[in-house]
């Protein structure tokens, strides 16, 4: 389907390792602290929570799905996999394996789930029996000079490959086949069970069976047991080359070994002969993770340093998927007019465009040489504008993916904000250092005017959607309104009692919202320069306390405020966010808080908790103030006030949670936020809620179907919308014959026309009945177009949602048609060529015949 999906679940800290069951139904997610979630990938929900008490390095299910192994510290724990037996506790410990002296790093299972291998930082690899085999309980393998990165069993064999960080590969051969493993005699097992019971009575909780491995077993213990011998040792690096190996994956059926290195290079080798197939550099950061798909054709690479995800098809040497996020945090975003695309700008100077339906970034512009501060789409949806601290405003074309205009100021200045008028002809940007607003023409690229009048840095700009009026907010405690038609004179100055941070117009252009440094959001009737209302929002922000803060969150909140504002598509609500993990939605008319969204529950980020964690407090203060191995005498330096990002030179660096920009989708179905965690999109999920509309006692699914059988289509549609169940509405709509659509549309009440259009817009996204639904949309808009135009403001989000759905189908179908036309033309050209060739051959054949005849005559 080529789509990306986010699961509605989260751990308290960053996820370190993931174990996937062989049938693909279950996953175990483990965070930095050792807290695990058992997740159903079918139901997309958390089934069970478990705490391992210590950080876990790796987790792996057995190929039969009955057991799984986790490694923590220098131990390996074998658990019964959940769901295979009917037990109350999902995680039941079976055995504990002792052996390695240092932390364990990797796990691999044999194909029949009889044994598994564990690699360790002490440069040894251990092979353990998943059950008590008479000739294999444990076996230790050495032979390396560095940390073991990965170990892999050969297909249906106990032969083993081990790979270490210094890029060395050892091939181990076993003298026994998998079928040659003998189970323990039953007598010993009974004796063991008895001894286990007595042990368990002494302990408070059952610990499972313990297996203690020895590195050098004596001759008597080793007699009659499995024996390994090293057949070969290979090195990936050339002589004098020091490139650390960071990750590896092995495909058993095709004998394909993929290794990733710290320099961003990966190698493909065929084992056991160690033949190099090819090697390629895909990044300049270390490759953190590698995975191969079941057929062995596609290889996935993850680079944590740059946030890169690549899927590579090695046979054709081409990318299947290539995605990369912003290197630093995202700063701003903008929706396209149809809501289909989102553009984001980051501190890394990149401008990225994302598709909202597939969640993939499909184009990246890298022309800026410094951080991007603002991005926006023009009204036609095919031009993106971005302002940057490098002193340029750039315009990008979405047809040809190029930077076609670059706007600059006479004197170099850093642009902090950007706005474009509703026609897309006039571009304005505000300066941080010269306190001026620059106006350019999109057509010619010329500077039209420089507006001066503010006495502080320009913090925000916004054009009125309906009129040629520009609102500019500044730190000089004023908002100025500039009239474009009156040669850019100041039309009005609104004076506030605090520094103004952000300004936003309502979609109908009749109201202006302003957020100031004192935490207040004020609403203005800009025509008459009258304040119509205000919201005191400081307490709703609910600031968290950073680890290095000397003052409490309550005290720190007094100086905090909203830094981003956005009206909803209908203009009835306003979204507000700032230096906090909350996004608030207020009702403008009532001036009350409607809902607070918590954008993250990840405690790996700073400023998440309101109070300091008591477990991290010592008699000398917080543990965070102790810089481990810093070397300086002063300890940890407290950051200066206003520092947006922490000091990246520290060993322990925690990014601070913040919301940098909010935008409401023009379709009214979703809103997006750029945060420390990335780009988040929240949308209306109407599929799970029973939401009847003017419901009557007679409206039931059976009565709707009865009406449908009587061919009273209009009545059936109205009843279905009253019950408001999507599947039932779809059933009724699709039961209407296409020749009856015209009649049904003309007899629909006005109230239900809007509802049918909204249903059509959502149905286009999933249904394959494209022509049928297009007939519906065409007839409704033709018959009710004039009435809908009178309610255009209210209807705009629905129409834009419909346009977005149809546009997407149009793009897909037009690509398909172009491809088919090309193929038909090619086939015709080939067939014509064939005819010409045959004629030519026939003619040459006749000539040869004549020649031979003339020879014979002579």
């Amino acid at each position: 389907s080529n789509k990306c999906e986010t699961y509605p679940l989260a751990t308290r800290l960053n996820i370190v390792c993931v174990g996937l069951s062989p049938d693909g139904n279950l996953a175990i997610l483990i965070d930095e602290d050792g807290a695990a979630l058992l997740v159903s990938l079918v139901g997309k929900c958390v089934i069970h929570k478990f705490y391992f008490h210590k950080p876990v390095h790796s987790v792996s299910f057995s190929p039969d799905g009955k057991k799984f192994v986790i490694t923590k510290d220098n131990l390996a724990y074998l658990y019964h996999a959940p769901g295979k037996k009917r037990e109350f506790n999902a995680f039941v410990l079976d055995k504990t394996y002792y052996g390695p002296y240092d932390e364990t790093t990797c796990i691999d299972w044999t194909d029949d789930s009889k044994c598994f291998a564990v690699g360790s930082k002490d440069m040894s690899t251990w092979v353990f029996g998943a059950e008590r085999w008479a000739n294999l309980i444990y076996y230790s393998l050495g032979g390396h000079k560095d940390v073991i990165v990965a170990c892999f069993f050969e297909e249906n064999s106990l032969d083993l490959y081990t790979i270490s960080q210094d890029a060395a590969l050892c091939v181990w051969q076993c003298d026994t086949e998998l079928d040659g493993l003998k189970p323990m005699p039953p007598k010993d097992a009974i004796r063991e069970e008895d001894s286990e019971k007595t042990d368990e009575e002494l302990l408070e909780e059952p610990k499972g069976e313990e297996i203690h491995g020895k590195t050098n077993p004596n001759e008597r213990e080793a007699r009659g047991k499995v024996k390994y011998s090293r057949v070969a040792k290979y090195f990936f690096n050339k002589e004098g080359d020091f490139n650390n190996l960071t990750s590896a994956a092995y495909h058993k059926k095709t004998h394909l070994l993929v290794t990733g290195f710290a320099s961003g290079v990966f190698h493909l080798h065929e084992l056991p002969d160690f033949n190099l197939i090819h090697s390629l550099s895909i990044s300049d950061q270390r490759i953190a993770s590698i995975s191969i798909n079941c057929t062995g054709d596609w290889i996935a690479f993850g680079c944590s340093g740059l946030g890169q995800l690549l899927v590579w098809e090695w046979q054709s040497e081409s990318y299947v998927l290539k995605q990369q996020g912003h290197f630093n945090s995202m700063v701003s975003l903008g929706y396209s007019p149809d809501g289909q695309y989102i553009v984001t700008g980051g501190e890394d100077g990149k401008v990225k465009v994302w598709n909202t339906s597939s969640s993939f970034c499909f184009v990246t512009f890298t022309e800026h040489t410094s951080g991007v501060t603002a991005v926006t789409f023009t009204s036609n949806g095919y031009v993106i504008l971005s302002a940057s601290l490098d002193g340029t405003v750039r315009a990008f074309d979405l047809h040809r993916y190029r930077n076609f205009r670059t706007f600059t100021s006479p004197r170099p200045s850093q642009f902090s904000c950007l706005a474009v008028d509703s026609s897309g002809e006039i571009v304005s940007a505000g300066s941080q250092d010269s306190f001026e607003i620059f106006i350019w023409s999109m057509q010619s690229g010329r500077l039209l005017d420089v507006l001066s009048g503010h006495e502080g840095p320009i913090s925000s700009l916004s054009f009125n959607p309906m009129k040629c009026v520009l609102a500019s907010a500044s730190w000089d405690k004023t908002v100025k309104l500039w009239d474009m038609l009156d040669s850019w004179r100041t039309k009005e100055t609104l004076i506030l009692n605090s520094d103004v941070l952000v300004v936003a117009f309502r979609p109908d252009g009749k109201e202006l919202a302003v957020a100031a440094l004192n935490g207040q959001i004020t609403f203005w009737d800009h025509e008459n320069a009258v304040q119509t209302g205000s919201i005191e929002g400081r307490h709703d922000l609910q600031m968290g306390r950073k680890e290095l803060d000397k003052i409490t969150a309550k005290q720190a909140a007094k100086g905090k405020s909203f830094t981003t504002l956005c009206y909803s598509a209908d203009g009835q609500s306003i979204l507000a966010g700032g230096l906090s993990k909350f996004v608030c939605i207020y009702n403008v008319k009532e001036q009350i808080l409607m809902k607070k969204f918590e954008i993250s529950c990840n405690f790996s980020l700073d400023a998440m908790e309101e109070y300091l964690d008591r477990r991290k407090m010592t008699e000398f203060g917080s543990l965070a103030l102790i810089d481990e191995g810093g070397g300086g005498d002063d300890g940890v330096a407290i950051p200066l006030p206003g520092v947006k990002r922490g000091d990246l030179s520290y060993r322990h660096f925690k990014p601070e949670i913040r919301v940098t920009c909010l935008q409401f989708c023009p379709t009214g179905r979703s809103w997006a936020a750029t945060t420390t965690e990335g780009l988040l999109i929240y949308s209306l999920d109407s599929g799970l809620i029973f939401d009847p509309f003017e419901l009557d006692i007679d409206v039931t699914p059976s009565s709707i179907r009865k009406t449908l059988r009587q061919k009273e289509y209009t009545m059936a549609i109205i009843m279905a919308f009253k019950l408001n169940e999507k599947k039932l509405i779809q059933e009724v709509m699709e039961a209407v014959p296409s020749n009856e659509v015209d009649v049904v549309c003309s007899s629909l009440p006005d109230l239900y026309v809007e509802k049918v259009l909204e249903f059509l817009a959502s149905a286009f996204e999933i249904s394959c009945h494209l022509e049928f639904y297009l007939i519906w949309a065409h007839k409704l808009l033709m018959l009710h177009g004039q009435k809908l135009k009178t309610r255009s403001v209210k209807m705009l989000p629905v129409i834009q949602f419909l346009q977005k759905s149809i546009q997407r189908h149009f793009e897909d179908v037009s690509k398909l048609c172009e491809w088919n036309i090309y193929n038909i033309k090619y086939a015709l050209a080939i067939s014509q060529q064939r005819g010409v060739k045959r004629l030519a051959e026939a003619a040459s054949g006749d000539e040869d015949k004549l020649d031979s005849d003339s020879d014979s005559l002579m």
Side-chain angles (χ1 to χ4, degrees):
S1 64
N2 202 23
K3 277 194 176 180
C4 166
E5 192 177 0
T6 305
Y7 283 89
L9 44 99
T11 53
R12 273 174 59 88
L13 297 165
N14 292 335
I15 296 170
V16 174
C17 51
V18 178
L20 192 64
S21 65
D23 57 5
N25 293 341
L26 294 175
I28 295 172
L29 315 177
I30 304 173
D31 71 13
E32 289 169 347
D33 228 9
L37 296 181
L38 175 67
V39 175
S40 162
L41 298 179
V42 181
K44 299 171 191 171
C45 59
V46 177
I47 300 171
H48 185 69
K49 292 180 181 177
F50 191 78
Y51 189 42
F52 287 114
H53 297 288
K54 280 184 180 172
V56 172
H57 305 296
S58 50
V59 55
S60 177
F61 274 89
S62 63
D64 62 4
K66 290 181 180 173
K67 306 266 178 83
F68 71 89
V69 174
I70 66 122
T71 60
K72 64 175 186 184
D73 287 348
N74 59 339
L75 308 177
Y77 295 87
L78 181 68
Y79 283 85
H80 289 288
K84 294 293 173 188
K85 298 191 298 181
R86 289 186 175 179
E87 72 277 311
F88 177 67
N89 186 4
F91 288 67
V92 179
L93 183 63
D94 183 23
K95 294 182 181 72
T96 307
Y97 295 88
Y98 294 81
Y101 293 104
D102 205 340
E103 287 181 1
T104 42
T105 54
C106 55
I107 309 164
D108 192 53
W109 283 84
T110 54
D111 285 349
D112 58 359
S113 309
K114 286 182 178 176
C115 304
F116 64 92
V118 173
S120 166
K121 283 187 180 174
D122 67 359
M123 301 176 282
S124 67
T125 308
W126 291 73
V127 181
F128 292 113
E131 290 146 43
R132 291 295 284 247
W133 304 110
N135 53 347
L136 176 60
I137 298 168
Y138 59 85
Y139 200 100
S140 170
L141 303 165
H144 282 284
K145 296 178 184 174
D146 208 337
V147 175
I148 306 292
V149 173
C151 51
F152 306 108
F153 281 104
E154 190 53 270
E155 190 181 14
N156 297 322
S157 164
L158 278 171
D159 296 352
L160 190 69
Y161 301 109
T162 58
I163 301 165
S164 62
Q165 194 174 293
D166 60 354
L169 165 76
C170 286
V171 183
W172 303 89
Q173 197 170 16
C174 183
D175 62 353
T176 313
E177 289 298 312
L178 280 169
D179 305 336
L181 293 173
K182 303 168 196 148
M184 275 277 194
K187 190 170 68 174
D188 293 6
I190 292 162
R191 196 164 63 235
E192 268 183 25
E193 268 179 34
D194 292 344
S195 65
E196 237 179 72
K197 274 179 190 166
T198 52
D199 281 349
E200 276 179 22
E201 282 164 13
L202 298 170
L203 297 165
E204 288 179 16
E205 56 176 284
K207 278 208 167 180
E209 194 180 335
E210 290 188 1
I211 292 164
H212 293 264
K214 295 177 190 169
T215 44
N216 298 316
N218 56 41
E219 277 182 36
R220 191 174 61 82
E221 282 178 350
R223 199 177 299 135
K225 299 278 169 71
V226 163
K227 195 165 181 238
Y228 274 94
S229 55
R230 192 172 79 189
V231 186
K233 187 171 185 179
Y234 300 109
F235 297 95
F236 292 91
N237 289 337
K238 296 182 184 78
E239 216 171 311
D241 190 9
F242 300 102
N243 195 356
N244 273 0
L245 191 145
T246 52
S247 54
Y250 180 59
H251 193 260
K252 293 181 183 181
K253 287 188 179 69
T254 54
H255 304 286
L256 187 75
L257 175 72
V258 189
T259 47
F261 291 83
S263 61
V265 174
F266 78 88
H267 295 322
L268 254 76
H269 283 88
E270 192 181 11
L271 293 181
D273 304 327
F274 199 67
N275 299 328
L276 181 67
I277 298 167
H278 73 227
S279 107
L280 194 79
S281 174
I282 52 165
S283 175
D284 53 2
Q285 297 275 333
R286 67 188 280 273
I287 297 173
S289 178
I290 300 177
S291 180
I292 309 177
N293 77 335
C294 53
T295 58
D297 297 329
W298 292 358
I299 305 164
F301 299 96
C303 303
S304 55
L306 290 173
Q308 284 175 309
L309 176 66
L310 305 164
V311 179
W312 175 258
E313 187 172 27
W314 65 274
Q315 283 160 326
S316 65
E317 298 193 16
S318 59
Y319 288 115
V320 177
L321 170 77
K322 190 177 182 182
Q323 288 292 304
Q324 183 181 342
H326 286 279
F327 179 58
N328 281 343
S329 53
M330 294 184 191
V331 175
S332 61
L333 85 144
Y335 262 103
S336 65
D338 59 359
Q340 203 170 346
Y341 305 122
I342 290 179
V343 58
T344 58
E347 287 173 350
D348 56 358
K350 289 191 174 76
V351 174
K352 287 180 173 286
V353 189
W354 310 79
N355 188 322
T356 53
S357 52
S358 71
S359 310
F360 285 133
C361 166
F362 62 91
V363 63
T364 304
F365 299 108
T366 55
E367 277 80 1
H368 283 296
T369 54
S370 186
V372 176
T373 51
V375 286
T376 183
F377 270 93
T378 57
S379 53
N380 66 2
Y382 293 112
V383 175
I384 291 166
L385 286 154
S386 63
S388 168
L389 296 174
D390 64 4
T392 63
V393 173
R394 292 177 186 268
F396 302 99
D397 175 13
L398 274 191
H399 284 305
R400 295 189 185 88
Y401 299 140
R402 65 195 175 103
N403 173 207
F404 70 94
R405 285 266 185 284
T406 303
F407 307 103
T408 53
S409 54
R411 284 194 312 279
S413 55
Q414 296 185 312
F415 297 121
S416 57
C417 50
L418 175 73
V420 61
D421 77 328
S422 52
S423 67
E425 288 300 314
I426 289 168
V427 181
S428 66
S431 165
Q432 272 187 354
D433 36 20
S434 64
F435 315 156
E436 293 168 329
I437 300 161
F438 298 91
I439 310 288
W440 296 276
S441 159
M442 177 68 96
Q443 288 263 288
S444 63
R446 280 176 44 231
L447 182 69
L448 298 177
D449 209 343
V450 180
L451 312 180
S452 49
H454 281 294
E455 294 165 16
I458 314 295
S459 52
S460 177
L461 292 174
S462 179
F463 263 104
N464 188 325
M466 298 300 164
K467 292 180 183 168
C468 298
V469 173
L470 174 71
S472 64
S474 169
W475 292 7
D476 62 3
K477 303 184 183 179
T478 63
V479 172
K480 289 186 187 289
L481 297 164
W482 313 81
D483 196 346
M484 189 174 82
L485 301 176
D486 192 13
S487 67
W488 293 111
R489 287 215 196 110
T490 313
K491 188 180 166 193
E492 203 72 64
T493 301
L494 314 176
I495 297 166
L496 287 99
N497 49 12
S498 184
D499 296 13
V500 186
L501 299 179
V502 61
V503 62
F505 272 103
R506 201 164 71 185
D508 62 0
K510 290 179 180 167
E511 190 177 70
L512 186 70
V514 178
L517 193 62
N518 58 6
Q520 269 193 341
I521 302 171
T522 50
F523 300 100
W524 296 77
D525 171 10
H526 62 91
E527 291 289 324
N528 308 315
V530 177
Q531 185 178 331
T532 55
S534 74
I535 293 170
E536 187 65 58
R538 187 187 292 148
H539 302 297
D540 302 326
L541 249 182
Q542 239 177 312
M543 282 291 302
R545 182 171 178 177
K546 287 190 279 187
E547 283 187 340
L548 301 177
D549 276 359
K550 291 282 192 185
I551 55 171
T552 61
K554 199 173 179 183
Q555 287 294 328
K558 289 181 180 174
K560 296 295 184 269
S561 57
F562 294 113
T563 56
T564 175
L565 281 184
C566 176
Y567 272 99
S568 61
D570 57 5
Q572 291 176 4
S573 323
I574 195 161
L575 282 167
L579 305 180
S580 146
K581 62 178 176 178
F582 291 105
V583 170
C584 306
I585 294 194
Y586 294 98
N587 185 308
V588 177
K589 196 177 174 187
E590 303 293 336
Q591 295 170 13
I592 54 167
L593 180 69
M594 286 159 62
K595 188 168 173 63
K596 258 163 85 167
F597 289 93
E598 190 175 354
I599 56 161
S600 176
C601 58
N602 183 1
F603 284 88
S604 296
L605 300 170
D606 209 356
M608 284 293 292
E609 295 174 280
E610 202 170 337
Y611 304 103
L612 281 179
D613 191 345
R614 221 172 247 174
R615 287 168 296 187
K616 291 179 187 166
M617 294 301 284
T618 64
E619 55 185 309
F620 306 109
S622 170
L623 279 172
L625 290 164
I626 304 162
D627 190 17
E628 294 168 18
D633 302 329
D634 306 331
V636 176
I638 306 295
L640 292 165
V643 172
K644 286 187 179 176
R645 298 189 299 278
D647 189 345
L648 296 165
S649 64
Y650 285 152
R651 285 160 185 251
H652 302 286
F653 166 65
K654 283 177 92 170
E656 186 188 338
I657 187 76
R658 58 179 53 237
V659 180
T660 48
C661 188
L662 291 167
Q663 279 286 320
F664 217 97
C665 181
T667 61
R669 306 282 304 168
S670 59
W671 57 271
T674 49
T675 69
T676 313
E677 286 207 316
L679 175 63
L680 310 179
I681 300 175
Y682 290 79
S683 65
L684 290 170
D685 184 11
S686 51
L688 303 171
I689 306 160
F690 174 62
D691 184 16
F693 174 76
E694 295 184 352
L695 193 59
D696 204 344
I697 198 163
D698 304 327
V699 178
T700 59
S702 54
S703 67
I704 292 168
R705 288 189 180 101
K706 190 181 172 187
T707 315
L708 200 58
R709 281 195 294 275
Q710 292 166 356
K711 298 191 176 178
E712 294 179 19
Y713 299 120
T714 311
M715 195 64 212
I717 288 170
I718 291 169
M719 287 166 78
F721 274 102
K722 280 185 176 178
L723 200 60
N724 212 359
E725 278 198 10
K726 208 164 185 182
K727 285 221 168 87
L728 193 63
I729 295 169
Q730 191 174 339
E731 188 186 322
V732 172
M733 293 285 284
E734 288 176 4
V736 179
S738 56
N739 55 348
E740 294 274 333
V741 171
D742 203 351
V743 181
V744 174
C745 286
S746 58
S747 57
L748 265 179
D750 290 350
L751 190 61
Y752 288 92
V753 170
E754 189 182 330
K755 295 216 163 273
V756 173
L757 281 171
E758 199 169 332
F759 167 76
L760 288 174
S762 59
F764 270 121
E765 294 193 330
I766 46 169
S767 177
C768 54
H769 303 299
L770 189 57
E771 190 188 1
F772 179 69
Y773 282 130
L774 279 170
I775 293 167
W776 268 102
H778 179 246
K779 297 292 180 195
L780 279 171
L781 293 170
M782 288 296 283
L783 291 163
H784 298 273
Q786 286 301 321
K787 288 177 186 170
L788 293 173
K789 208 170 180 182
T790 56
R791 307 205 303 276
S792 63
V793 176
K794 196 182 173 195
M795 284 298 298
L796 192 64
V798 177
I799 299 292
Q800 283 181 323
F801 185 29
L802 185 66
Q803 185 195 351
K804 173 189 168 182
S805 304
I806 294 171
Q807 181 69 27
R808 196 167 62 84
H809 278 295
F810 171 70
E811 283 170 9
D812 293 348
V813 173
S814 61
K815 275 179 194 168
L816 197 64
C817 291
E818 280 170 14
W819 175 245
N820 288 343
I821 290 165
Y822 168 74
N823 279 343
I824 291 163
K825 281 181 179 174
Y826 178 72
L828 283 168
I830 289 288
S831 63
Q832 284 164 5
Q833 285 287 333
R834 253 190 201 158
V836 171
K837 226 173 185 181
R838 276 184 197 144
L839 284 168
E841 279 171 11
S844 64
D846 290 347
E847 279 172 21
D848 292 347
K849 206 174 179 186
L850 283 167
D851 289 349
S852 61
D853 288 350
S854 61
D855 288 347
S856 61
L857 281 166
M858 282 171 81

